[in-house]
Amino acid sequence: MKHDLNFLATAIGSLPNNNPKDAVDLIFDTIADAPLCPQLSKVSPDEDMLIQYTENFAGIKMNETTNKRYADLESDEYFAGIEELFTDYEEVISSDTLNDEILQKYVISKNYSAAFPYFLEKLKQTQPEYVKGQVIGPFTFGTSTLDTEKRCVFYDETYRDVIVKVLTLKALWQVNEFRKVSPKSKNIIFLDEPTMSQLGTSAFLTVSTEDVQNVINQIVDVLHQFNILVGMHCCGKADWSVVLKTNLDIINFDAFFYAENFSLYSKEIEEFLSNDGIIAWGIVPTLDVDALESTNSGKLVELFENSIKLLTSKGLDERKILDSSIITPSCGAGSLSIESAIKAMNYLKEVSKALKDKYSKEVV
């Protein structure tokens, strides 16, 4: 099946700007066909990926001494919160349409996303083909958040369920807001899972791959119910066999540094593509300033083509790969200078255009 998003360019999330309008304008100037609302931790630390989605999150509290968030799984407030959450979740997923009244409880407010109001204004003006949102992935959130006993909350089966439900509703809230202003745009949600690179290491030996796949699939399956494409981003090496066997539509990885590592999973990639999966090639380096400064769009196109050859050398069909590819940065650009972030986003735009120009005529 041919996808209609070949070589589409989108981004991962963070930008270094301290002016929300400038950040949103950069997004629409460079990835106009699939814009996203940028995370701006320079505006507020509450826009950090680990914090941005904790607003009105059952069980999450702030330690006023350390200024860090933690999960209190023993309080009466927590038990009342999850009872309401479970009721809300069941009501939302039992409907064919998004329930605006319930989803407003799971808002990502301006305090946690300063750019969101302006992003919606631009979305209304431009009506892009796609619009992308993102939430922190359940594995990363669950292994980065501790309870009062300093244990990762992912190990608590009930709280894993809480994480899945809240993140699903946070994603649906975003899509609901997108559809209010740009109803014809198709929707993409990425689960940002940097900690997936540590699955199977000594840090998480007791975490089963089945549990990780299960929490991902629970979110994906609900979002599919509302006609949303779902991707997962991980910017490090990972056991991609675990991820490729989930129900995700899009797999996003750091293709600048780890294309060879990704190609080790050629059999799983071939099966993923045969099920209409999409590969999001993180071809523009954003985690290594020297790499970004020493490259250009021509070199990045060449790198992309060499990455394709790694897969075709193992028997995968080139046309199938090309028809199932989109382009992103390797990770968020929030750690870069504003000047470098602008350069990265412009490279992204240029690479996407070059690949479309070179290969679109061959699409069948």
Side-chain angles (χ1 to χ4, degrees):
M1 176 181 177
K2 172 186 157 310
H3 296 289
D4 62 351
L5 41 66
N6 298 305
F7 308 118
L8 188 83
T10 191
I12 305 308
S14 61
L15 284 175
N17 304 69
N18 51 25
N19 183 309
K21 184 178 183 299
D22 290 345
V24 172
D25 286 344
L26 175 61
I27 290 291
F28 279 88
D29 286 345
T30 53
I31 53 171
D33 292 335
L36 76 159
C37 183
Q39 297 161 316
L40 306 174
S41 60
K42 297 281 179 67
V43 173
S44 169
D46 287 341
E47 297 207 26
D48 179 87
M49 180 184 69
L50 292 171
I51 300 172
Q52 188 173 43
Y53 309 100
T54 59
E55 187 178 15
N56 301 326
F57 201 121
I60 298 296
K61 292 184 177 180
M62 171 71 82
N63 184 319
E64 300 299 338
T65 302
T66 63
N67 205 33
K68 292 184 178 180
R69 286 164 175 79
Y70 68 98
D72 182 351
L73 310 186
E74 302 295 335
S75 69
D76 291 340
E77 180 184 8
Y78 163 66
F79 288 110
I82 63 171
E83 182 177 358
E84 182 178 7
L85 167 66
F86 289 178
T87 300
D88 288 345
Y89 180 84
E90 291 303 321
E91 189 161 345
V92 167
I93 68 170
S94 64
S95 174
D96 294 330
T97 58
L98 293 173
N99 188 316
D100 183 70
E101 182 179 357
I102 291 177
L103 290 176
Q104 292 309 318
K105 298 181 185 180
Y106 302 92
V107 63
I108 303 169
S109 72
K110 189 175 180 179
N111 291 335
Y112 288 77
S113 182
F116 202 81
Y118 185 61
F119 179 76
L120 292 181
E121 289 180 22
K122 292 284 284 188
L123 204 58
K124 186 175 182 178
Q125 294 167 14
T126 58
Q127 303 290 304
E129 184 179 4
Y130 288 87
V131 57
K132 174 185 174 287
Q134 60 270 331
V135 294
I136 188 172
F139 178 62
T140 294
F141 185 85
T143 53
S144 303
T145 304
L146 304 180
D147 64 15
T148 52
E149 302 298 320
K150 308 297 184 184
R151 295 171 298 197
C152 294
V153 294
F154 192 84
Y155 294 109
D156 185 290
E157 188 173 350
T158 299
Y159 207 69
R160 278 207 307 271
D161 197 23
V162 170
I163 293 168
V164 165
K165 287 176 167 53
V166 173
L167 294 180
T168 300
L169 294 173
K170 293 278 185 181
L172 290 175
W173 175 82
Q174 292 177 67
V175 170
N176 190 46
E177 297 303 302
F178 298 157
R179 290 178 178 177
K180 288 177 184 178
V181 297
S182 189
K184 293 184 179 179
S185 297
K186 287 166 269 190
N187 306 119
I188 302 171
I189 289 288
F190 268 26
L191 309 178
D192 291 333
E193 285 280 16
T195 309
M196 192 65 69
S197 63
Q198 298 180 46
L199 181 64
T201 68
S202 58
F204 299 113
L205 280 178
T206 57
V207 175
S208 73
T209 57
E210 291 79 8
D211 282 342
V212 174
Q213 290 171 324
N214 186 46
V215 292
I216 290 172
N217 283 338
Q218 285 182 67
I219 296 177
V220 172
D221 291 347
V222 171
L223 298 189
H224 279 172
Q225 181 182 325
F226 295 97
N227 299 313
I228 302 165
L229 285 171
V230 191
M232 195 204 80
H233 162 74
C234 178
C235 50
K237 288 184 179 181
D239 183 349
W240 291 107
S241 65
V242 174
V243 180
L244 288 160
K245 292 177 182 177
T246 65
N247 299 337
L248 287 158
D249 303 294
I250 306 169
I251 302 298
N252 179 227
F253 75 106
D254 180 347
F256 188 89
F257 283 114
Y258 299 121
E260 187 169 356
N261 170 260
F262 186 67
S263 72
L264 297 175
Y265 302 92
S266 57
K267 290 183 180 179
E268 292 90 346
I269 294 168
E270 185 172 33
E271 184 176 353
F272 178 71
L273 293 176
S274 71
N275 291 320
D276 299 327
I278 300 159
I279 301 176
W281 301 82
I283 206 72
V284 181
T286 51
L287 295 178
D288 186 321
V289 177
D290 291 338
L292 178 64
E293 293 301 321
S294 62
T295 194
N296 57 52
S297 57
K299 291 180 180 179
L300 295 174
V301 169
E302 183 179 358
L303 178 62
F304 170 80
E305 293 174 331
N306 289 337
S307 299
I308 295 289
K309 289 176 184 176
L310 289 171
L311 294 178
T312 58
S313 69
K314 299 183 179 183
L316 275 72
D317 180 75
E318 181 183 56
R319 188 69 260 164
K320 183 65 175 176
I321 301 168
L322 294 172
D323 289 351
S324 307
S325 292
I326 65 175
I327 307 300
T328 73
S330 61
C331 196
S335 62
L336 297 173
S337 67
I338 292 177
E339 181 182 19
S340 293
I342 291 171
K343 180 178 288 188
M345 294 300 291
N346 279 315
Y347 283 162
L348 184 65
K349 180 180 181 180
E350 292 165 8
V351 170
S352 174
K353 183 179 185 304
L355 292 173
K356 287 178 181 179
D357 290 346
K358 185 169 183 177
Y359 293 107
S360 61
K361 292 180 181 179
E362 301 177 23
V363 175
V364 295

